[in-house]
Amino acid sequence: MKRLSDAASRLEGQPMFQILARAKELERSGKEVLHFELGDPDFNTPSHIVEGAYNALKNGETHYAPSNGILELRLAAAEVTQRSRGFKPELDQILVTPGANVQIYYAVACTANPGDEVIVPDPGFVSYFSILKLLNIGINRVPLHEENGFRIDPSEVEKRITGKTRMIIMNSPSNPTGAVMTEQEVKEMYEIAKRHDLFLLSDEIYARMIFKDANTNHYSPSRYDSCRERTIVVNGFSKSYAMTGWRLGVVTGPSDVISKMGLMLETTTSCVSPFIQRAGINALRNSQSTIDSMISEYRDRRDILVRGLNTLPGVKCNNPGGAFYAFPSVTGTGMSSNEFCEVMLNEAGVSLAPGPIFGDNGEGYVRMCYANSKENIQKAIGKMRDLLENNHKYTLGD
Ligand SMILES: Cc1ncc(COP(=O)(O)O)c(C=O)c1O
């Protein structure tokens, strides 16, 4: 008898954690490594948020909490949605979860059966692919093109819909490209989902992280159905509030879907720790000025990084409008994405993520998360330049 289940054999995890482990191993052997691989803010969580959890712990909020989330946090989330997306969801449309990643799993598991298909942007966030594989759901990839600023083309999406399609996943601003969709594109995505009666999972974890000079705003398809029919908004505190380690998210969707997702959470993890949720309430209810200043710092870093990357021989990078990722092409170096990342880690001490881990269309690119200081960004560019310019092995055409 096989020892492990078929589902276990389909588990892939998140390659990023494996890349980080390798970089840490090199560090332990005494090598200096500059980290650009993981999408984890380098800022600490703002202190007023930390105090929310601290005070709750001191006040004895160390017991089980309601499985769908503390009422005050769901109320605060509903008000934020009203301000940011123009509609106020009912409380039964809102679920508090341990981070945003699990929302994707719950949403797909509650709406699609094995053998169904989901449309996914490629390159895209690694969990879309690994969750669909685990659930035995077909992956229908929509290639994103550099020439189109890596924005998903709604007409390409519509072409891929089959009788088996249950859901479309969209993600703006995008991981790994930083691309931000226009209002028109978002509207078209919603219309396509409606026309074919599909769920639309809109991953908006980077919605706050849009740079004003990108001359765009964040547009959510949820404004067209108020998350009542088909739109499921994936969201959380990890990125914009610098809270990756807290594991806190809030998902909004149609009440029948949210109710089942809530039962799934109750079945598997019972509830989110109440003191963690108190931190979330403080995050939403207090001044957003520290968040705004983190975002403007990210914009300055993006400028330094993108400018620097475009001075490297064989490297070309467009200007991402949001999130905290740059997605340069490295084809001009003559190396594959994996070779480029290997060489940069081992010889320059710069840790990057190879494009192919984000999907079939990631070859030729690498992802750099600029959650790192301006000094380190400049240092990394310098090290990469030294390697590419001075080492004969790595010059174009050799
Ligand atoms: C697009 C996208 N969605 C969801 C997540 C998951 O976020 P969390 O850490 O809150 O689970 C990430 C994290 O990298 C992401 O990039």
Side-chain angles (χ1 to χ4, degrees):
M1 197 181 74
K2 258 200 333 185
R3 199 167 141 75
L4 299 175
S5 68
D6 293 346
S9 71
R10 293 194 300 271
L11 278 169
E12 286 185 345
Q14 293 198 48
M16 222 73 60
F17 285 101
Q18 291 139 31
I19 295 170
L20 179 69
R22 268 212 56 209
K24 291 274 178 206
E25 204 180 291
L26 271 182
E27 261 174 344
R28 270 195 303 278
S29 72
K31 194 173 169 76
E32 187 197 21
V33 177
L34 299 168
H35 292 277
F36 294 90
E37 70 281 51
L38 203 64
D40 192 351
D42 57 321
F43 299 107
N44 286 333
T45 305
S47 57
H48 67 279
I49 299 177
V50 176
E51 270 156 29
Y54 178 68
N55 291 333
L57 277 167
K58 282 204 304 191
N59 292 336
E61 290 201 56
T62 52
H63 302 271
Y64 288 127
S67 58
N68 56 0
I70 291 178
L71 181 63
E72 292 94 312
L73 179 53
R74 289 158 66 227
L75 282 169
E79 284 162 27
V80 170
T81 302
Q82 168 88 71
R83 282 199 302 277
S84 57
R85 290 164 179 77
F87 71 96
K88 192 164 186 178
E90 300 296 331
L91 286 178
D92 64 2
Q93 291 182 269
I94 299 173
L95 177 69
V96 177
T97 61
N101 206 14
V102 81
Q103 298 170 8
I104 304 161
Y105 178 80
Y106 292 165
V108 176
C110 291
T111 58
N113 289 310
D116 287 343
E117 290 174 2
V118 171
I119 293 181
V120 189
D122 180 343
F125 176 44
V126 290
S127 290
Y128 306 148
F129 304 108
S130 43
I131 287 170
L132 293 169
K133 276 186 197 151
L134 173 62
L135 291 170
N136 233 346
I137 289 167
I139 302 172
N140 212 330
R141 298 161 190 268
V142 181
L144 307 181
H145 305 290
E146 188 180 349
E147 308 80 71
N148 194 36
F150 293 112
R151 295 192 323 280
I152 197 164
D153 177 347
S155 67
E156 292 273 323
V157 171
E158 190 159 30
K159 271 195 258 167
R160 283 173 174 75
I161 295 173
T162 72
K164 291 183 176 173
T165 309
R166 289 290 290 159
M167 176 186 275
I168 301 169
I169 295 182
M170 57 181 268
N171 172 218
S172 173
S174 145
N175 175 10
T177 70
V180 180
M181 290 171 74
T182 66
E183 183 172 15
Q184 181 60 24
E185 287 161 345
V186 172
K187 184 160 182 267
E188 281 174 39
M189 291 290 279
Y190 181 80
E191 281 165 359
I192 291 168
K194 188 172 158 78
R195 196 153 51 237
H196 298 270
D197 195 19
L198 304 173
F199 285 106
L200 183 56
L201 185 139
S202 180
D203 184 341
E204 303 183 8
I205 192 139
Y206 299 105
R208 290 283 301 274
M209 299 165 74
I210 289 196
F211 309 124
K212 292 287 168 264
D213 62 358
N215 205 14
T216 183
N217 282 313
H218 177 254
Y219 297 102
S220 171
S222 61
R223 60 206 277 224
Y224 301 114
D225 71 344
S226 304
C227 286
R228 293 211 161 85
E229 281 174 42
R230 65 192 71 257
T231 311
I232 302 167
V233 174
V234 164
N235 215 335
F237 296 78
S238 295
K239 312 290 176 169
S240 42
Y241 291 97
M243 290 176 71
T244 46
W246 295 74
R247 312 311 302 135
L248 183 63
V250 177
V251 57
T252 311
S255 54
D256 56 342
V257 178
I258 291 295
S259 150
K260 292 294 182 190
M261 289 172 67
L263 285 178
M264 211 163 179
L265 185 151
E266 193 175 287
T267 305
T268 51
T269 63
S270 305
C271 64
V272 176
S273 316
F275 51 90
I276 300 286
Q277 297 193 52
R278 290 282 167 209
I281 295 167
N282 269 19
L284 296 184
R285 289 251 186 253
N286 285 289
S287 158
Q288 303 295 301
S289 61
T290 40
I291 312 308
D292 294 339
S293 50
M294 288 194 272
I295 291 165
S296 80
E297 173 69 18
Y298 286 133
R299 190 201 48 219
D300 294 348
R301 294 169 180 187
R302 175 205 59 181
D303 291 344
I304 297 169
L305 179 64
V306 171
R307 215 178 304 127
L309 285 169
N310 281 318
T311 64
L312 302 182
V315 178
K316 191 159 68 64
C317 187
N318 71 359
N319 204 27
F324 50 13
Y325 304 110
F327 200 61
S329 152
V330 297
T331 46
T333 63
M335 287 184 264
S336 70
S337 303
N338 279 325
E339 284 164 350
F340 189 89
C341 290
E342 280 286 305
V343 164
M344 287 305 159
L345 179 62
N346 293 328
E347 300 191 32
V350 178
S351 184
L352 315 167
I357 68 171
F358 303 100
D360 296 351
N361 295 294
E363 180 50 53
Y365 299 92
V366 300
R367 190 192 76 174
M368 287 186 81
C369 173
Y370 43 88
N372 208 329
S373 66
K374 290 173 186 155
E375 296 70 37
N376 278 347
I377 293 172
Q378 264 148 353
K379 203 164 160 187
I381 293 288
K383 288 181 165 209
M384 291 165 84
R385 178 180 299 105
D386 280 353
L387 200 68
L388 292 168
E389 280 179 356
N390 301 329
N391 193 328
H392 192 60
K393 252 192 326 193
Y394 307 124
T395 45
L396 182 61
D398 289 335

